[in-house]
């Protein structure tokens, strides 16, 4: 266990010491947050208000807009958080690729430390940094919204969201490790990061709500954990604002809205519960982790 | 004497590239073994197999009595490795680097601290411990790499081209440290290099060329066999033709380089009768000792031009 602790500490230190890389990680997530709040936020808020007008008859228009604004802000924040859950662990794992390229991995492989422990060291370090930076994004996001006069999430929702951050960052740390076993140059790695960073926004239906995507594509996306991660986080983030926004309206309106916005996912006309999504992500994490260790062990007996 | 490394019919094929092709050698405990070859000869491939980094295509290897492929973890505990490329972290200080490496072997932090002090002493790193690794010079980095490999006092130390890219003075320093290790700790050292001359400091040498082991022995032994001494004769003014006539009469083989006449002799003693004979036509003479360069060229049949390629 001590070796794992040493390796995790080393990997974290390597990441933190690269100040520029930490700075740009934080900066890029803030930029995404701002852009989404400013541009996409307004568009989605307008749409939401429209839905309310359509079904609600004469209601308090000012209150509707305010509710919709909070709902969409929280929805956006959840999406940004998920993007970070994917990209931060991947960025951190880039150090493993550099370690391999520059021969440092070989130096670890000639020590008596088992390869599975070396793998664990990389995965845990990515996971921990992922958790910290995502929680930081969440804190900053909440602070920013509070400054705009939007009330914060309650403690129990915050706790649930933290749990989801733990879960999703772990999955993408394991995925990152598995990918790093196959990529041998840091150029290729950063290229892949760019692609994944861009794709995640669409795959998770974060830039565009699911309702705006073609049905066939959505069916495919349901097989990927990104959409499920986004849905579970949105579901927690928007729980109370949904209730407030749709108060007094038929439940179908809220249900349709949630499914259009990717807050819930439905399969064969049936809404998938958050529990199922969580279970899916846990199962997938386990599968990816097993695969990562198997590939890693298989590699140990072969050429690099 | 105990055998530290035993290599039998070792092979490594990368697809069609026969990087190492059926080599055999043994290293006795306490030896400083020099593995000599040009770039691409198969030195790193051999050392990486011995260090358990990847498995051989074929062959048996025993290190400190442990079978490669069976007792890899025990082998890893008994060896220290300095790879061809620097492997410490640029973003960490020398001390942080050494502590991380050391903790992977030694759980007791008091013991580790003592060992840390020891290796810093041996590799003279005392002044460097708090410096950022990235900021060190090439030679200082090399010394840190060696120190990191020594932290668990391995029985065998593998060094892959420890002196490549260093200036002559630093190369000398590295060699001195290695020799000191061998003497003080009775450590077995396996070292690769493509600098032929410095290999003469090893106690035993093997020459590898294109994956084949060409020759092995002590530097003295190899020089005896492959590097004949040379006698350089300088003729007195106007006596050049006379000197050549005398040599031809005795049917001695010679060649002319610039204005000098050079004879190959089996050893220095064989030069005496020649000198005696030509005494009156000579202006001076010089004995040229056989060099490792000569050994290498004669063993591999290569010329100096394609040596550095
Ligand atoms: N992983 C590899 N895949 C294919 N060929 C390799 C690999 N590693 C080394 N080689 C080839 O094996 C030969 C020996 O390489 P190496 O052992 O690195 O030489 P040296 O260390 O003596 O300079 C070279 O021809 C090199 O191109
Ligand atoms: Mg090499």
């Amino acid at each position: 266990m001590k070796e794992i602790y040493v390796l995790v500490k080393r990997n974290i230190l390597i990441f933190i010491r690269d100040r520029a890389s930490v700075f740009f990680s934080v900066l890029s997530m803030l930029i995404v947050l701002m852009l989404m709040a400013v541009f996409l936020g307004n568009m989605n808020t307008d749409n939401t208000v429209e839905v309310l007008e359509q079904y609600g008859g004469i209601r308090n228009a000012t209150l509707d807009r305010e509710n919709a604004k909070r709902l969409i802000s929280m929805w956006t924040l959840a999406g940004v958080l998920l993007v970070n859950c994917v990209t931060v662990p991947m960025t951190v794992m880039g150090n493993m690729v550099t370690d391999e390229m520059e021969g440092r991995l070989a130096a670890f492989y000639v020590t008596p430390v088992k390869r599975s422990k070396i793998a664990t060291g990389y995965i845990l370090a990515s996971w921990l940094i992922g958790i910290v930076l995502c929680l930081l994004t969440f804190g900053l996001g909440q602070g920013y919204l509070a400054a705009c006069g939007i009330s914060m999430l309650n403690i129990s929702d915050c706790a649930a969201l933290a749990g989801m951050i733990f879960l999703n960052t772990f999955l993408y740390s394991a995925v990152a490790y598995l990918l790093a076993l196959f990529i041998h140059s840091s150029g290729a790695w950063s290229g892949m990061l760019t692609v994944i960073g861009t794709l995640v926004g669409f795959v998770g239906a974060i830039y565009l709500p699911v309702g705006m995507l073609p049905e066939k594509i959505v069916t495919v996306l349901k097989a990927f954990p990104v959409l499920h991660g986004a849905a579970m986080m949105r579901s927690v983030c928007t729980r109370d604002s949904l209730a407030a926004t749709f108060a007094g309206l038929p439940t179908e309106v809220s249900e349709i809205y949630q499914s259009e916005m990717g807050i819930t996912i439905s399969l064969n006309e049936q809404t998938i519960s958050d529990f199922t999504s969580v279970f899916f992500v846990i199962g997938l994490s386990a599968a990816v982790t097993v695969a990562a260790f198997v590939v890693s062990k298989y590699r140990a007996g072969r050429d690099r | 004497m105990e055998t530290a490394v035993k290599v039998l019919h070792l092979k490594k094929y990368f697809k069609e590239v026969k990087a190492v092709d059926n080599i055999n050698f043994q290293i006795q405990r306490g030896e400083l073994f020099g593995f000599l070859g040009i770039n691409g000869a198969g030195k790193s491939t051999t050392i990486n197999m011995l260090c358990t980094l990847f498995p051989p295509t074929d062959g048996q290897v025993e290190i400190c009595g442990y079978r490669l492929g069976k007792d890899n973890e025990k082998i890893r505990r008994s060896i220290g490795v300095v790879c061809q490329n620097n492997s410490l972290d640029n973003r960490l200080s020398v001390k942080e680097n050494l502590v991380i490496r050391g903790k992977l072997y030694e759980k007791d932090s008091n013991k580790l601290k003592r060992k840390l002090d020891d290796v810093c002493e041996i590799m003279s790193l005392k002044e460097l411990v708090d410096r950022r690794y990235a900021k060190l010079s090439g030679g200082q980095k090399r010394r840190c790499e060696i120190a990191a490999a020594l932290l668990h006092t391995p029985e065998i130390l593998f060094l892959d081209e420890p002196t490549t890219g260093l200036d002559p003075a630093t190369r000398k320093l590295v060699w001195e440290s290695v020799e000191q290790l061998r003497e003080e700790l009775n450590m077995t050292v396996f070292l690769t290099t493509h600098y032929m001359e410095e290999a003469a400091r090893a106690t035993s040498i093997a020459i590898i060329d294109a994956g084949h082991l060409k020759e092995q022995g002590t530097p003295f032994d190899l020089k005896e066999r492959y590097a004949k001494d040379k006698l350089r004769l300088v003729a007195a003014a106007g006596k050049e033709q006379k000197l050549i006539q005398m040599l031809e009469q005795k049917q001695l083989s010679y060649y002319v380089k610039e204005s000098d006449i050079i004879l190959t002799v089996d050893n220095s003693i064989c030069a005496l009768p020649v000198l005696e004979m030509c005494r009156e036509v000579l202006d001076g003479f010089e004995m040229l000792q056989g060099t490792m360069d000569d050994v290498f060229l004669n063993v591999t049949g290569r010329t100096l031009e394609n040596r550095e390629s």
Side-chain angles (χ1 to χ4, degrees), chain A residues 201-214:
Chain A
F202 288 100
V203 176
I206 289 158
Y207 301 148
L208 282 176
V210 198
M212 294 192 181
L213 300 174

Side-chain angles (χ1 to χ4, degrees), chain B residues 182-200:
Chain B
R182 195 178 81 83
E183 277 160 26
E184 287 179 12
L185 307 174
N186 192 29
M187 202 173 272
T188 313
V189 181
F190 182 117
L191 176 152
T192 76
T193 179
H194 68 260
Y195 296 118
M196 310 304 156
E197 279 319 314
E198 63 179 30

Side-chain angles (χ1 to χ4, degrees), chain B residues 44 84 160-161:
Chain B
S44 296
Q84 189 163 355
D160 198 357
E161 308 213 6

Side-chain angles (χ1 to χ4, degrees), chain B residues 83-98:
Chain B
C83 294
Q84 189 163 355
N85 299 319
N86 287 339
S87 67
L88 294 177
D89 288 309
N90 281 321
R91 293 176 202 152
L92 305 182
S93 74
V94 171
K95 187 164 181 191
E96 286 169 328
N97 265 308
L98 294 180

Side-chain angles (χ1 to χ4, degrees), chain B residues 61-68 71-72 74-75 78 155:
Chain B
V61 175
E62 231 174 71
I63 293 181
C64 300
Y66 302 119
R67 283 277 296 279
L68 183 74
D71 288 321
N72 282 6
K74 285 182 183 144
I75 292 179
S78 334
E155 288 178 51

Side-chain angles (χ1 to χ4, degrees), chain A residues 89-104:
Chain A
M90 298 243 168
T91 310
V92 181
M93 197 58 78
N95 276 327
M96 175 177 150
V97 179
T98 328
D99 282 346
E100 190 202 334
M101 235 175 59
E102 294 173 4
R104 278 190 289 271

Side-chain angles (χ1 to χ4, degrees), chain B residues 45-71:
Chain B
T45 306
T46 306
I47 222 171
N48 289 344
M49 282 191 284
L50 301 190
C51 298
T52 74
L53 271 177
F54 47 70
T57 307
D58 198 13
Q60 286 98 50
V61 175
E62 231 174 71
I63 293 181
C64 300
Y66 302 119
R67 283 277 296 279
L68 183 74
K70 202 163 138 270
D71 288 321

